[in-house]
Amino acid sequence: MPVDFSGTWNFVSSDNFEGYMLALGIDFATRKIAKLLKPKKVIEQDGDSFSIHTTSTFRNYSVQFKIGEEFEEDNKGLDNRKCKSVVTWDGDKLVCVQTGEKKNRGWSHWIEGDELYLELRCEDQVSQQVFKRA
Ligand code: ECB
């Protein structure tokens, strides 16, 4: 049985989100607002199908995918770039590779106890976010 990411996850902390946003070319004003946010994640996992909804007081972002199936991702409300994304399992980690204009772009999710981790990568920047099961 693979890990079950399903559930509601509340923001706990983040690390180097500023560096990640700078790598994505996010403007100053947006970065100032974005780094104060405490987003919530709602994840639905049904076999190999996932939906991840990230919500905040400023912007919301949703994505749906199946493991191993490449999809067109439109990062609307984030950096607004499009990319081709694919999510695979690396053991109990979910690993997304986002191929497009930005090198080395992607993210990983894993669970430790009742905490959900998210590592966001872009170019030479790595940001980590931690969430706790609601
Ligand atoms: C949606 C809440 C955050 C809104 C931040 C608004 C502006 C900042 C612009 C760009 C920063 C890039 C990403 C924001 C970080 C997190 C949002 C979701 C990141 C993501 O891809 O999550 C994955 C894995 O959970 C599913 O989409």
Side-chain angles (χ1 to χ4, degrees), residues 12-76:
V12 174
S13 62
S14 80
D15 182 72
N16 194 38
F17 189 42
E18 178 75 1
Y20 175 75
M21 288 193 290
L22 275 168
L24 282 173
I26 307 301
D27 69 82
F28 178 86
T30 305
R31 294 201 313 275
K32 296 304 125 187
I33 297 167
K35 72 176 176 192
L36 298 174
L37 300 174
K38 298 182 183 305
K40 180 161 101 174
K41 287 211 187 261
V42 176
I43 303 181
E44 293 169 68
Q45 178 177 344
D46 177 13
D48 272 355
S49 297
F50 286 76
S51 76
I52 304 181
H53 299 278
T54 310
T55 58
S56 75
T57 53
F58 179 51
R59 303 253 174 90
N60 300 323
Y61 186 72
S62 294
V63 69
Q64 277 84 236
F65 56 86
K66 277 189 184 168
I67 297 295
E69 289 188 10
E70 190 177 71
F71 61 100
E72 279 271 353
E73 184 169 11
D74 184 352
N75 293 271
K76 226 181 184 29

Side-chain angles (χ1 to χ4, degrees):
M1 271 292 272
V3 210
D4 190 4
F5 287 84
S6 297
T8 300
W9 302 89
N10 292 323
F11 180 88
V12 174
S13 62
S14 80
D15 182 72
N16 194 38
F17 189 42
E18 178 75 1
Y20 175 75
M21 288 193 290
L22 275 168
L24 282 173
I26 307 301
D27 69 82
F28 178 86
T30 305
R31 294 201 313 275
K32 296 304 125 187
I33 297 167
K35 72 176 176 192
L36 298 174
L37 300 174
K38 298 182 183 305
K40 180 161 101 174
K41 287 211 187 261
V42 176
I43 303 181
E44 293 169 68
Q45 178 177 344
D46 177 13
D48 272 355
S49 297
F50 286 76
S51 76
I52 304 181
H53 299 278
T54 310
T55 58
S56 75
T57 53
F58 179 51
R59 303 253 174 90
N60 300 323
Y61 186 72
S62 294
V63 69
Q64 277 84 236
F65 56 86
K66 277 189 184 168
I67 297 295
E69 289 188 10
E70 190 177 71
F71 61 100
E72 279 271 353
E73 184 169 11
D74 184 352
N75 293 271
K76 226 181 184 29
L78 303 178
D79 66 320
N80 295 310
R81 288 187 186 85
K82 291 182 180 166
C83 55
K84 293 219 196 271
S85 302
V86 64
V87 184
T88 55
W89 288 111
D90 175 13
D92 285 345
K93 273 191 191 187
L94 271 185
V95 179
C96 179
V97 175
Q98 297 171 308
T99 305
E101 189 187 329
K102 290 289 174 183
K103 297 289 171 227
N104 196 34
R105 182 173 183 172
W107 53 259
S108 300
H109 264 306
W110 68 95
I111 290 174
E112 290 180 21
D114 64 348
E115 289 182 329
L116 173 74
Y117 284 77
L118 171 60
E119 182 183 278
L120 295 161
R121 299 177 290 275
C122 182
E123 297 182 324
D124 61 345
Q125 297 296 310
V126 180
S127 173
Q128 187 168 279
Q129 299 184 345
V130 184
F131 300 80
K132 209 172 187 70
R133 212 180 256 288

